[in-house]
Amino acid sequence: MAYQSIEVRKSTPAIGAEISGVDLAQPLGNQAFQEIHDALMENLVIFFRGQELSHEQHKAFGRRFGELHIHPSSLSVVPEHREVLIIKADEKSTYVAGEEWHTDVSCDAEPPMGSILYMKELPPDGGGNTLFANMYRAFETLSPPLQKLCEGLTAIHDGAQVYGGRFGQAPPAGGFPRSEHPVVRTHPVTGRKALYVNRNFTTRIVGLRKPESDALLEMLYRHSETPEFQCRFVWQPNSIAFWDNRAAMHHAMWDYFPHKRLGYRVTVKGDKPFHRA
Ligand code: SIN
């Protein structure tokens, strides 16, 4: 794809690209917006370096891509900016957000289309990278009979498994979100098919017996975590990663305990996952 207002350098053949030539603190012109959107569709996750953003500017950048999402459980948010999640780990942490392969909040009926993480502080000895995996590739590299099987299936994604389980949170009024989504979703912009199950939220394939569901899910997780489908982002302070939750999953590496890592995430609302044969 030819870009005129930004530069785009791929991270790996499968996924990821670093974008330069744009200051995200400034309102985006239409061409820059369109090219950033194109780069996201083409590369599934895009990275920016050396950005200086206030919470307002971070939200304004997110809003160019859609309405902002409010997290359904009580993760910590910036006071007076409830659309800005605090992504923090330090010596007191017993878990970190995103330390298992997942797509964000896939337990929602309409899970977020994208997430924009702005990193401010990093551990002193490195670590705290984020890994991303291409879920189009994960689907496309299954054998045709398995593709056919998966295209006919739906699965349950349950917030209780993560927020109530690993995070130990009390359920909000009305309970944690729980939704049924196609195992293979069609991307609403590109029309491509992506595998849409993840270890964090997916609990059960509908219509299969539990041992069948467990075995198939484990096989799909292992397959989608294939290293050739991945890139790994090495953060610096003031880096941004913007990922498309409809086509990529990610994993935050917590290899720096007891050191501190701090970032802020703005999340853009998405639509109901669907499958088009
Ligand atoms: C997340 O899943 O939003 C956290 C990702 C990270 O901390 O790298």
Side-chain angles (χ1 to χ4, degrees), residues 106-111 155-159 177-181 272:
S106 67
C107 53
D108 266 5
E110 296 185 345
I156 303 298
H157 296 239
D158 194 343
R178 185 175 188 273
S179 301
E180 183 174 339
H181 297 309
K272 190 168 167 47

Side-chain angles (χ1 to χ4, degrees), residues 144-238:
L146 206 49
Q147 286 185 353
K148 196 161 171 230
L149 171 69
C150 290
E151 287 200 70
L153 296 172
T154 59
I156 303 298
H157 296 239
D158 194 343
Q161 172 160 280
V162 186
Y163 309 129
R166 196 150 44 82
F167 294 7
Q169 293 172 356
F176 293 111
R178 185 175 188 273
S179 301
E180 183 174 339
H181 297 309
V183 167
V184 178
R185 75 180 288 185
T186 304
H187 194 288
V189 178
T190 66
R192 293 176 70 186
K193 290 176 190 167
L195 203 54
Y196 195 66
V197 288
N198 66 83
R199 286 187 190 275
N200 238 12
F201 291 107
T202 314
T203 52
R204 186 79 188 248
I205 296 184
V206 176
L208 299 192
R209 295 197 183 90
K210 183 159 184 337
E212 296 171 337
S213 168
D214 288 350
L216 182 55
L217 283 174
E218 184 59 32
M219 185 261 134
L220 294 176
Y221 297 150
R222 284 187 186 205
H223 173 69
S224 43
E225 292 158 17
T226 299
E228 285 78 2
F229 305 160
Q230 297 178 20
C231 72
R232 181 175 181 128
F233 187 53
V234 181
W235 295 92
Q236 295 162 357
N238 296 333

